[in-house]
Amino acid sequence: MIIRKLALATSMAALLAFSAAAASAEMVLNRGIGATIGTLDPHINFLAWEGWILDDAYEGLVANDAGGAVIPGAAEKWDISDDGLTYTFHLRDGLKWSNGDALKAQNFVDGIVRTIDPATASDKAYIFTSTIRVAGAQDFVDGKSKDAKSVGISAPDDKTVVLKLAAPAPHALFVLGSFYAPPLHKPSLEKFGKDFIKPGNIVSNGAYILTENVPQSHVTLEKNPNYWDAANVKIDKVVYRVTEDDSTAVKLWRAGELDATADIPTAQIDALKSEFADQVHISPSTETNYMSFNITKPPFDNIKLRQALSMAIDRDTLVNKVVKAGYVVNYGYAVPIPGYDAPKVAEATMSKEDRIAKAKALYAEAGFGPDKPVSLTIESSNNDVYKKQAETVAVMWKQVLGVDAKVNAQDRDGWLAAFNAGGWDVFNDNLIGDFPGPETYLAYMDPRAEVGYHWKNPAFEAAFDKAMPLTDQKERWKVLAEAEKALLDDYLVAPIASSPNRHLVASKIKGWVDNPADVHATRFMSISQ
């Protein structure tokens, strides 16, 4: 009897120990992030997948909930003046940086100033001069003023941030989260320079702290005990895994080594849907896809050639029979949204026969034909969808016009480097909107934003400027449609489609909510055991 009691006691102790260990087991989320990871400098990064990492490491004045809606972030509340020009944010009590330093209002001022400082050379500077027009920001970006205090963002005290706009922006809160307006821990930047974002150096204010960044392998973040809402953050660690390609990511997901993928290969979607049903997440997005023409480089400075190339694309075949996978034909630049009467390129209403005849006529008027074909290269990423899209367009241009079109498909870093170098002919392009609405797309294409297209169009600028002071959404969007029409009439781009978000998400992941902006902060998720 004594032996049996001892054995029972030992078994009970072991069971309790096991239960305690299970209860305290580290909860780790493994997320796929594509083939490469670019800069994680929070004031420079302009790429969506890296934005997921930065959303975990930083928090803006506002945040996005699991479904993408704007919610209070570091600021617990805010006031907007009656004229829509002044936003006053009130920070939460006791905010801290990850190293325990007090987080102050000035840190958010410093973050925006660093983003628009010409010395930073951030691709996001246009957000504060075009998407929302912060008072004094354009002069600061242009170097007309070198005084940061001339910019319309200030901290009258440690808990208050005041943002002054030059024109109302009903969408302003969408761009004051961690992706565009993270705070800056100046002591880290001053001590480490560009290395202030490296593990061991980085000081951030989000739900997680960056602890590893292994090139071509992974980035690891661990729960930040100094985050104001740390008690409600359930996942202890999130690992962003770099994968060779989307097919590799699917294999890792099947093996349980990934909990969520960044994308899904289009050719595998139907089979995966049959096998995994609701673990296949395909939903509308804010991403627009298009071909951009380098108007600084002959012969693409000829609008008739650009129009001919656009008209030679059979979008119905390209999108609905080749690409498929949830893509939707779009004859405009902005992703369609209810209430916005979006303009379209001229060929949108043409029959196939009329479209092809017009394309051939314009090609001839531009000075080209069978004896003098255009030779061009389409720069594309090697993502399976974009590569397939570029190769199909190249074939269509050859068949309809006799164009000698080649495709240069490369990894994302090479593709982006090609754009920035400026010598490209045609760029297989895309833009993910920051929110549903034309402002986010047209602000990016505003010639004064100068993001790399070197395009000037007084009609666009006049319409865009006319729209900015308008607070009535119907009237504002009506005028913005005039700006988009000027863009489309110039054929700077040949619009193709609006794309979906595509992910494999394991059923054990709770709190993942599909949303158009594709934001998925880890702090809202948990893992069922």
Side-chain angles (χ1 to χ4, degrees):
M1 290 294 292
I2 294 174
I3 294 175
R4 286 189 64 196
K5 284 185 177 180
L6 180 61
L8 180 60
T10 303
S11 298
M12 288 299 293
L15 180 60
L16 290 171
F18 176 80
S19 298
S24 61
E26 187 175 50
M27 191 178 289
V28 180
L29 177 67
N30 290 286
R31 299 178 64 170
I33 200 169
T36 59
I37 295 177
T39 180
L40 292 180
D41 187 318
H43 306 104
I44 293 178
N45 171 63
F46 190 56
L47 302 176
W49 290 342
E50 285 79 353
W52 292 347
I53 296 174
L54 295 173
D55 273 347
D56 283 342
Y58 291 89
E59 183 169 73
L61 292 164
V62 302
N64 296 102
D65 68 10
V70 173
I71 59 173
E76 62 181 352
K77 60 182 179 179
W78 51 84
D79 309 309
I80 305 174
S81 62
D82 291 342
D83 61 6
L85 297 178
T86 303
Y87 288 66
T88 304
F89 295 89
H90 307 279
L91 301 190
R92 299 175 186 275
D93 290 332
L95 291 176
K96 294 181 180 180
W97 288 97
S98 56
N99 69 346
D101 288 353
L103 180 68
K104 300 179 180 180
Q106 185 61 39
N107 301 140
F108 288 95
V109 175
D110 293 339
I112 288 180
V113 169
R114 179 171 185 255
T115 300
I116 65 174
D117 188 336
T120 307
S122 174
D123 288 336
K124 299 191 289 194
Y126 82 91
I127 291 294
F128 302 105
T129 61
S130 191
T131 306
I132 61 172
R133 294 186 168 182
V134 176
Q138 188 67 61
D139 284 347
F140 192 76
V141 168
D142 293 341
K144 295 178 181 177
S145 171
K146 299 185 182 300
D147 182 5
K149 292 182 179 179
S150 67
V151 179
I153 182 165
S154 61
D157 58 57
D158 287 346
K159 288 189 60 183
T160 308
V161 178
V162 178
L163 180 70
K164 292 185 177 295
L165 304 181
H171 52 279
L173 293 175
F174 285 103
V175 294
L176 292 173
S178 62
F179 187 85
Y180 288 118
L184 171 64
H185 187 259
K186 257 191 173 180
S188 299
L189 179 63
E190 291 169 351
K191 181 177 181 179
F192 299 110
K194 65 181 181 180
D195 290 336
F196 85 110
I197 57 170
K198 288 188 174 181
N201 299 344
I202 188 171
V203 177
S204 58
N205 75 314
Y208 294 88
I209 306 167
L210 180 71
T211 57
E212 288 185 299
N213 186 354
V214 182
Q216 304 305 316
S217 177
H218 66 277
V219 165
T220 302
L221 299 100
E222 299 183 13
K223 187 174 174 179
N224 174 12
N226 284 318
Y227 179 58
W228 67 269
D229 198 28
N232 291 314
V233 176
K234 296 179 175 63
I235 291 176
D236 301 294
K237 180 188 294 185
V238 53
V239 181
Y240 287 91
R241 293 274 302 274
V242 174
T243 52
E244 181 182 346
D245 55 31
D246 294 335
S247 294
T248 301
V250 171
K251 292 176 183 177
L252 292 171
W253 185 85
R254 283 179 173 275
E257 295 182 41
L258 283 181
D259 299 312
T261 66
D263 205 346
I264 306 174
T266 56
Q268 298 186 41
I269 287 177
D270 290 342
L272 288 166
K273 278 183 176 180
S274 297
E275 187 174 357
F276 296 106
D278 59 358
Q279 295 182 83
V280 179
H281 290 241
I282 299 178
S283 60
S285 84
T286 57
E287 181 180 345
T288 180
N289 295 88
Y290 50 99
M291 294 285 173
S292 294
F293 301 112
N294 190 345
I295 60 173
T296 68
K297 183 178 181 180
F300 308 103
D301 55 347
N302 187 324
I303 188 173
K304 290 185 177 181
L305 174 61
R306 301 196 300 269
Q307 190 173 6
L309 291 170
S310 180
M311 289 188 170
I313 300 172
D314 182 344
R315 291 167 175 82
D316 177 59
T317 297
L318 172 62
V319 176
N320 297 322
K321 298 178 182 178
V322 177
V323 174
K324 299 183 286 189
Y327 281 73
V328 178
V329 172
N330 185 16
Y331 285 99
Y333 181 71
V335 169
I337 181 174
Y340 177 59
D341 188 12
K344 298 176 175 63
V345 287
E347 59 266 33
T349 57
M350 291 181 178
S351 67
K352 181 177 180 179
E353 293 75 15
D354 288 347
R355 175 177 56 77
I356 290 176
K358 183 65 172 177
K360 290 180 176 179
L362 287 164
Y363 190 64
E365 290 173 23
F368 301 98
D371 298 328
K372 187 184 177 184
V374 169
S375 295
L376 61 84
T377 298
I378 303 172
E379 299 290 343
S380 176
S381 76
N382 57 10
N383 170 282
D384 75 309
V385 171
Y386 299 132
K387 182 180 178 183
K388 187 185 298 183
Q389 176 177 286
E391 290 173 344
T392 304
V393 168
V395 170
M396 289 177 174
W397 284 346
K398 173 67 175 178
Q399 292 177 338
V400 175
L401 301 174
V403 171
D404 178 16
K406 299 180 178 65
V407 175
N408 181 31
Q410 50 193 320
D411 64 29
R412 189 185 60 169
D413 288 350
W415 172 62
L416 293 172
F419 179 82
N420 292 328
W424 49 275
D425 299 330
V426 180
F427 198 74
N428 195 16
D429 218 337
N430 74 304
L431 177 69
I432 299 174
D434 309 301
F435 51 89
E439 292 92 344
T440 184
Y441 304 97
L442 301 180
Y444 178 74
M445 296 307 294
D446 184 345
R448 292 157 295 187
E450 195 43 83
V451 292
Y453 298 101
H454 306 288
W455 175 63
K456 297 296 180 185
N457 188 300
F460 179 101
E461 294 180 21
F464 194 78
D465 289 348
K466 180 181 177 182
M468 287 303 97
L470 302 176
T471 55
D472 178 81
Q473 180 175 284
K474 183 177 181 180
E475 184 61 25
R476 182 185 180 91
W477 283 7
K478 180 180 178 182
V479 178
L480 284 172
E482 296 175 12
E484 184 172 359
K485 186 176 186 304
L487 168 66
L488 296 174
D489 286 351
D490 234 4
Y491 281 89
L492 174 65
V493 303
I496 302 290
S498 53
S499 70
N501 296 318
R502 299 183 301 269
H503 306 286
L504 287 170
V505 183
S507 57
K508 67 179 181 179
I509 304 304
K510 308 304 179 186
W512 179 290
V513 180
D514 294 330
N515 60 86
D518 209 22
V519 292
H520 304 283
T522 303
R523 74 179 179 103
F524 295 114
M525 298 184 212
S526 63
I527 302 174
S528 60
Q529 301 298 332

